[in-house]
Amino acid sequence: MSDLHSINEAINKRAGRKLLPSIGVSLFLVALVWFSLVSYRVIFAGLVTVAVVLGIREVHHALTTTKIEIPLWSLTTSAIALSAAAWFGGVSGLAVATAIAFPCLLVLLLPRGIEGFVSTASASALALVYLPFLAGFLILLARPYNGLERVMTLVVLVGCNDTFGYLTGVLLGKHPLAPKISPKKTIEGLIGSLIFTVIGGSLAFHFIMDSHWWLGALAGVITVFTATSGDLIESALKRDMAIKDMGNLLPGHGGIMDRLDSVLFAAPALWLALEVVRRAQDSGLL
């Protein structure tokens, strides 16, 4: 037992995370997503909305360390509105709701005066697009009749990217990928993510989506690029604000944002890929 404890501590130190709590939280979140989708898909939309609202609170708290005070309640209201628009109005509803929410946020900042207006407005716009807008594509994935299959395919893709990038990075990682942004990420980890996400995507598209395996392989490549970019972008934000995690709500992960970072960037890419495939199938090209 002492040897196992030593190994676990060594892995935790190398990865910068506690492994066992991280696995437990990940399994719980996957089960929660699956349950919401097999019961009533609108519950999943509600879960996404709750996650976004919690993420906005984390971003708001983090930005206060840089003396930027984004409008918490205005962004919370916008998040709920964008989620509802995505569920009831599709991609057009999400786009229109975002176009309306953005100027409303700026107008509501005017009573604060001109001091710090540019920085606050910029941070508010970033929060609006980064969270409720990008998260809206999670809801768009779940919206059709095969929403369960589409979302679970995303779970497989992002899960393979994160898990195998983590494992290969811990076991084989020697060459930093972006040392100034995320010192724990390695080129070996990225290669591991690419290999296993392509395999996972191929299997997911074949067995879950009942589609061509090679489309899943392409989706895997896209997911590695987008999910890794999302992770690095959140790391850059945290380093600029001199914080380790956005929050501490999820043991082994940090905050909600530390779990959403890769998903937020991968979801729009997968949604677009599935839309292209659907239209190609409808036109007889596939």
Side-chain angles (χ1 to χ4, degrees):
M1 290 300 295
S2 61
D3 289 341
L4 290 174
H5 180 72
S6 299
I7 293 172
N8 184 55
E9 288 298 318
I11 293 175
N12 293 342
K13 183 177 180 181
R14 182 76 179 271
R17 294 287 182 194
K18 292 184 178 181
L19 181 60
L20 294 180
S22 178
I23 293 174
V25 168
S26 297
L27 292 176
F28 171 76
L29 292 176
V30 170
L32 187 62
V33 167
W34 180 84
F35 174 78
S36 66
L37 288 168
V38 297
S39 52
Y40 297 99
R41 282 176 288 128
V42 69
I43 296 176
F44 175 76
L47 290 176
V48 171
T49 305
V50 171
V52 169
V53 169
L54 292 174
I56 288 173
R57 293 180 65 87
E58 289 180 354
V59 172
H60 173 266
H61 178 72
L63 285 171
T64 56
T65 63
T66 62
K67 298 182 179 179
I68 297 177
E69 188 80 19
I70 59 175
L72 177 60
W73 293 108
S74 298
L75 281 166
T76 299
T77 304
S78 299
I80 296 171
L82 264 63
S83 296
W87 180 257
F88 291 107
V91 67
S92 299
L94 177 62
V96 172
T98 305
I100 293 173
F102 175 62
C104 288
L105 282 174
L106 297 185
V107 169
L108 291 172
L109 288 176
L110 290 176
R112 297 187 179 191
I114 61 173
E115 185 177 355
F117 184 84
V118 172
S119 59
T120 303
S122 301
S124 299
L126 173 63
L128 179 71
V129 174
Y130 190 22
L131 275 158
F133 177 73
L134 293 182
F137 286 89
L138 287 169
I139 296 174
L140 294 178
L141 283 173
R143 192 168 176 259
Y145 71 94
N146 61 342
L148 170 63
E149 291 82 358
R150 287 155 60 101
V151 174
M152 294 314 295
T153 297
L154 176 66
V155 169
V156 170
L157 288 167
V158 175
C160 286
N161 178 74
D162 291 352
T163 302
F164 290 103
Y166 179 97
L167 291 177
T168 53
V170 167
L171 297 175
L172 304 174
K174 293 182 179 179
H175 302 89
L177 177 65
K180 292 184 178 180
I181 299 174
S182 184
K184 298 292 183 180
K185 287 195 175 300
T186 62
I187 295 176
E188 291 81 2
L190 179 63
I191 294 172
S193 291
L194 184 61
I195 293 172
F196 287 101
T197 306
V198 166
I199 295 173
S202 301
L203 294 174
F205 265 64
H206 180 71
F207 290 106
I208 300 177
M209 295 295 299
D210 193 24
S211 185
H212 301 291
W213 68 267
W214 58 270
L215 291 173
L218 291 176
V221 174
I222 294 171
T223 299
V224 170
F225 174 76
T226 54
T228 302
S229 297
D231 196 8
L232 289 173
I233 287 169
E234 201 227 3
S235 295
L237 291 172
K238 290 189 294 186
R239 287 200 167 272
D240 186 38
M241 293 184 287
I243 56 177
K244 183 180 185 298
D245 293 320
M246 285 289 190
N248 55 10
L249 182 63
L250 302 176
H253 291 276
I256 290 290
M257 286 300 302
D258 298 295
R259 183 65 276 176
L260 284 178
D261 51 7
S262 54
V263 176
L264 290 174
F265 278 69
L270 180 61
W271 178 85
L272 177 60
L274 292 176
E275 282 296 301
V276 171
V277 169
R278 181 183 65 81
R279 298 192 180 198
Q281 290 173 336
D282 291 343
S283 62
L285 296 176
L286 286 176

